Amino acid sequence: MTLRRIYTNYLKIRWKMKRDGARLLSEEFLQDYKNHIGSFFSVMKIHNKGFSWEDWNINDFGRKKYDKYLKTTEYYAMHPLNGQYSHWIDDKLILKYLCVGTSLDKYMPKYYFQIDSFGNVLGLSDYQEKGKLSIDELITFLENTGELAFKRVAGSLGEGFYKGVYVGGTYMLNDKVLTRKELKLELQKFRDYLITEYLHPHKDMVPFCSDTVNTIRYLVGKKSNGEISLIKSFIRFGTIKSGFVENYNAGGVLCYINDNGVFEKGNLYDFELMKNIIITHHPDTGTELKGIIPLWNGIQKASADFCEHFPQLNYLGIDFVVTSKNEVKILEINSLTSLDSLQLAGSILDSKNGSFYKDRMKERLVNADA
């Protein structure tokens, strides 16, 4: 803890960062040293250039120019772009309850239970009973519905996600088959979890991957004149390697989407070479990575509705799912989209919406010198 505080203060001074950004960056940079113990000086050299290990290697900056790219340090120095309101979207439970009773709730999955930090099971807005419940009641509900999603209240990259299934007298958490007693013992260990409806991908997305919901990241930012614009959008498909999540850093496929909802070709992280590779077909299903996002207009409207309802928010990485029921749902909203996912196709600063970041960089330097 002492080392982290010292390093956080160093980053604040070295890169003129706010406390929140420096704290998050120190965690990432220290993790780089931990993950690459034998490459201490290589890691240090990369950090001194302003990049994290992943951002540097994924983009293969050792072999191409990096000076026109947004640096990891510059990106974290902007954080929190939503100021004191970041916690509204960083916490999935807060996000849900801010939408309950409004026109936005139709975009949210059904939230049935919470397992709090003490292991208590609580009924949420879409469950008929409220207050303190039991693990047995949760399991009975799983038996009645057939499947549920278990995810952390606050988390990212799909960490800690479980698919709960009951079929033919058998219980499963992800691929692990359990008896009812074993499932109860497993769930008694859970802390700070939400239990929601399990969503299935739209039929047009099933050929790419049927085991994940194939989330669409729709990143929007508010310009200095108050106008909200789309900065970047991409869809992620699961793979055998990524399992029940489809995150790029976990081995999933990432395909950029243009303004008309069209995607073509994909990005895959090569864990051996430690860099990004371009692919034309899904590595497992063989399906050509080319298509049109269904209900694209519905996604655009949902984003506009959310931004209008919450004018306090300036930077939102909205994770949409187009479901098998032809619905547009919001899984979560991220306040700090991973930088590597934004620059696989080139510098985000050179994109048509790169001005969003350039303006924030200028504002930060002005405030730092004030």
Side-chain angles (χ1 to χ4, degrees), residues 49-68:
K49 294 181 185 296
F51 292 91
S52 70
W53 176 274
E54 281 196 348
D55 289 341
W56 178 271
N57 285 287
I58 283 174
N59 286 287
D60 201 19
F61 285 144
R63 298 185 181 182
K64 64 182 182 182
K65 293 183 177 180
Y66 60 85
D67 54 313
K68 292 186 178 181

Side-chain angles (χ1 to χ4, degrees), residues 157-158 161 174 209 211-212 214 236-253 268 271 282-284:
L157 303 178
F161 175 84
N174 289 350
C209 182
D211 293 328
T212 57
N214 305 323
R236 292 160 293 191
F237 298 113
T239 63
I240 292 174
K241 189 174 186 64
S242 68
F244 285 93
V245 297
E246 66 268 281
N247 302 86
Y248 170 80
N249 299 86
V253 176
L268 187 69
F271 286 88
H282 191 283
D284 303 321

Side-chain angles (χ1 to χ4, degrees), residues 80-262:
L81 283 163
N82 292 308
Q84 62 181 313
Y85 303 106
S86 281
H87 71 281
W88 284 7
I89 56 178
D90 291 337
D91 186 302
K92 299 180 185 68
L93 187 58
I94 292 177
L95 174 62
K96 170 66 176 181
Y97 273 94
L98 285 173
C99 295
V100 169
T102 75
S103 60
L104 299 178
D105 199 30
K106 65 184 177 185
Y107 298 124
M108 301 297 294
K110 294 186 182 302
Y111 277 44
Y112 298 120
F113 305 97
Q114 175 189 5
I115 300 178
D116 68 16
S117 57
F118 300 100
N120 298 313
V121 179
L122 310 175
L124 298 182
S125 60
D126 297 303
Y127 188 67
Q128 67 270 24
E129 295 183 34
K130 306 298 183 289
K132 189 174 179 180
L133 306 172
S134 69
I135 292 289
D136 286 309
E137 287 176 271
L138 192 165
I139 294 175
T140 298
F141 188 72
L142 172 62
E143 292 169 349
N144 293 332
T145 56
E147 55 187 4
L148 293 169
F150 295 75
K151 50 191 176 183
R152 296 189 187 279
V153 172
S156 60
L157 303 178
E159 181 184 0
F161 175 84
Y162 291 94
K163 179 182 180 182
V165 174
Y166 174 79
V167 58
T170 298
Y171 305 86
M172 296 181 69
L173 274 181
N174 289 350
D175 290 325
K176 188 176 181 180
V177 178
L178 303 165
T179 64
R180 195 181 204 277
K181 182 178 180 180
E182 289 170 336
L183 176 62
K184 183 175 181 178
L185 290 173
E186 286 291 326
L187 295 180
Q188 285 174 339
K189 301 174 187 176
F190 279 36
R191 296 293 184 273
D192 294 316
Y193 263 82
L194 297 173
I195 296 86
T196 73
E197 68 173 311
Y198 189 87
L199 304 176
H200 289 272
H202 188 275
K203 61 180 178 62
D204 292 351
M205 299 293 102
V206 168
F208 300 99
C209 182
S210 59
D211 293 328
T212 57
V213 290
N214 305 323
T215 308
I216 298 156
R217 173 63 57 88
Y218 195 88
L219 179 64
V220 296
K222 183 182 292 184
K223 298 179 180 179
S224 55
N225 63 1
E227 178 188 349
I228 293 287
S229 63
L230 174 63
I231 296 175
K232 203 87 171 179
S233 61
F234 49 84
I235 185 167
R236 292 160 293 191
F237 298 113
T239 63
I240 292 174
K241 189 174 186 64
S242 68
F244 285 93
V245 297
E246 66 268 281
N247 302 86
Y248 170 80
N249 299 86
V253 176
L254 185 151
C255 303
Y256 287 114
I257 307 168
N258 69 20
D259 292 348
N260 298 315
V262 177

Side-chain angles (χ1 to χ4, degrees), residues 15-29:
W15 299 105
K16 298 181 179 180
M17 306 179 72
K18 297 178 182 178
R19 180 183 61 84
D20 287 350
R23 178 177 53 81
L24 289 173
L25 186 62
S26 69
E27 292 175 3
E28 183 164 344
F29 275 10

